Amino acid sequence: MTQKLAFVFPGQGSQSVGMLNGFADNALVQQIISQASQVLGQDLGQLIQDGPAEALALTENTQPVMLIAGVAIYRAWIEAGGQIPDFMAGHSLGEYTSLVCANSLDFTQAVPLVRYRAQAMQEAVPVGSGGMAAIIGLSDEIIVNLCLEVSQETGFVVEPVNFNAPNQVVVAGHIQAINRIIEIAKSAGAKLATKLPVSAPFHSSLLLPAAAKLEKHLTAIQFHQPAVQVINNVDVMIENDPLKMKDALIRQSYSPVRWVETIEKMADLGVNHLVECGPGRVLAGLVKRIAPQIKIHGISDPQTIQTVLSELKN
């Protein structure tokens, strides 16, 4: 069987203090960290290495550091002799990482871009007035209907925003509607319905003001045709036209992340090996549930890079 390889890049929530410590002696990784620090005028290396975790979890910090981590680990993979994948995708913010790794977006432009995106998202909804919740154990259809029901009942917005795995959906919206849907989901038989520790209702229509800012900001940034095919979140499509790629990123900010369909598309395209590139193993767990036939690997430090290199050779 021909080996078809995909790389996926995680988004917010996978960060951890010290996540690049394994690369302390890797000149390439250190150069990437220092380049990003220079661009933003902030010591991001110190933040990644020492935290504190609360500072790392602030959206305006998380987005740049997760981009740095994904790009650094991918470039360390290539430096170690790893093969260029056939396909890429990233979960939410991870899509920006995939575009950098596919040579579609310049790293030094991507770093301030994702910080701008984070700030625009945070400013769209006052802190404390919006939120997100994970619901596990109910079908997509039931959750879509519950969102409509709660929105009508409360007059506040709640929408499904991440279709992460079968029977695992994240919803976002006004905090009043989030609190209500958690109650209703539990009584409808959800195994779990819980608030997520985030400061904004990401990927909901409440972020339309952020999308308008992002659209304006993106006009000054040059995109190139990607060297690797990237499947986007919003349409589950492979785009090569820079204008269409920008448009997909704008719509992504207020539209659901269609992760289940993204992985199903990879499986349909013949992907049989998938590497989660970056800290954590969140995506690996989701992929296992969506497409158990795909062999899953993870790279997050020099040791795991060597392990996966040998796994893919055999």
Side-chain angles (χ1 to χ4, degrees):
M1 187 196 285
T2 314
Q3 192 181 91
K4 268 209 179 173
L5 179 66
F7 263 56
V8 294
F9 298 89
Q12 288 187 227
S14 290
Q15 72 279 359
S16 59
V17 174
M19 61 188 173
L20 291 176
N21 284 0
F23 294 101
D25 300 327
N26 184 305
L28 176 68
V29 169
Q30 295 310 311
Q31 185 193 348
I32 289 165
I33 296 169
S34 113
Q35 205 177 20
S37 297
Q38 220 171 340
V39 168
L40 290 186
Q42 178 186 2
D43 190 345
L44 295 167
Q46 187 77 38
L47 178 64
I48 293 167
Q49 188 181 321
D50 302 323
E54 301 74 41
L56 205 60
L58 291 171
T59 298
E60 66 176 53
N61 287 331
T62 310
Q63 296 203 22
V65 300
M66 282 302 294
L67 177 85
I68 292 164
V71 170
I73 294 166
Y74 179 74
R75 290 187 181 166
W77 161 261
I78 297 296
E79 185 187 44
Q83 70 187 86
I84 292 170
D86 300 286
F87 303 98
M88 290 181 178
H91 191 284
S92 185
L93 168 78
E95 187 168 320
Y96 288 78
T97 315
S98 67
L99 290 170
V100 173
C101 294
N103 296 331
S104 176
L105 177 57
D106 181 74
F107 178 65
T108 54
Q109 288 198 305
V111 173
L113 170 61
V114 298
R115 166 148 291 172
Y116 182 85
R117 174 184 186 260
Q119 289 167 338
M121 286 174 144
Q122 193 59 75
E123 287 161 10
V125 181
V127 174
S129 65
M132 298 175 82
I135 301 173
I136 296 174
L138 296 177
S139 72
D140 295 358
E141 193 185 356
I142 288 172
I143 291 171
V144 169
N145 289 332
L146 286 181
C147 284
L148 290 171
E149 191 184 309
V150 169
S151 292
Q152 284 166 357
E153 177 199 313
T154 63
F156 291 103
V157 169
V158 62
E159 298 160 348
V161 295
N162 292 356
F163 293 97
N164 281 337
N167 302 328
Q168 184 172 335
V169 176
V170 172
V171 298
H174 290 117
I175 204 70
Q176 297 91 332
I178 294 291
N179 292 335
R180 181 68 182 128
I181 201 165
I182 286 171
E183 285 174 26
I184 291 185
K186 283 176 180 169
S187 48
K191 287 182 193 164
L192 182 76
T194 184
K195 265 188 222 170
L196 295 176
V198 295
S199 51
F202 299 119
H203 298 290
S204 74
S205 60
L206 297 180
L207 290 195
L208 276 162
K213 286 182 182 176
L214 196 57
E215 181 171 15
K216 202 172 168 187
H217 194 75
L218 278 167
T219 54
I221 294 173
Q222 193 177 8
F223 279 60
H224 311 277
Q225 190 167 328
V228 178
Q229 298 187 84
V230 176
I231 302 169
N232 68 29
N233 286 184
V234 71
D235 303 313
V236 195
M237 294 217 5
I238 295 164
E239 290 289 2
N240 290 313
D241 176 341
L243 286 177
K244 288 183 177 173
M245 289 157 68
K246 284 185 187 185
D247 177 60
L249 288 177
I250 293 157
R251 289 182 291 119
Q252 187 227 50
S253 60
Y254 62 84
S255 303
V257 172
R258 295 162 64 184
W259 195 247
V260 173
E261 292 168 88
T262 299
I263 300 305
E264 286 171 346
K265 186 176 179 83
M266 285 182 169
D268 291 345
L269 289 165
V271 167
N272 46 20
H273 286 268
L274 180 143
V275 175
E276 178 170 8
C277 180
R281 292 303 304 267
V282 172
L283 300 183
L286 300 179
V287 173
K288 200 173 280 185
R289 293 185 54 207
I290 300 163
Q293 73 276 24
I294 294 177
K295 180 94 173 71
I296 301 157
H297 316 266
I299 57 174
S300 55
D301 56 31
Q303 291 72 29
T304 47
I305 287 176
Q306 290 307 318
T307 303
V308 176
L309 281 171
S310 65
E311 283 172 355
L312 292 177
K313 271 180 196 156
N314 299 329

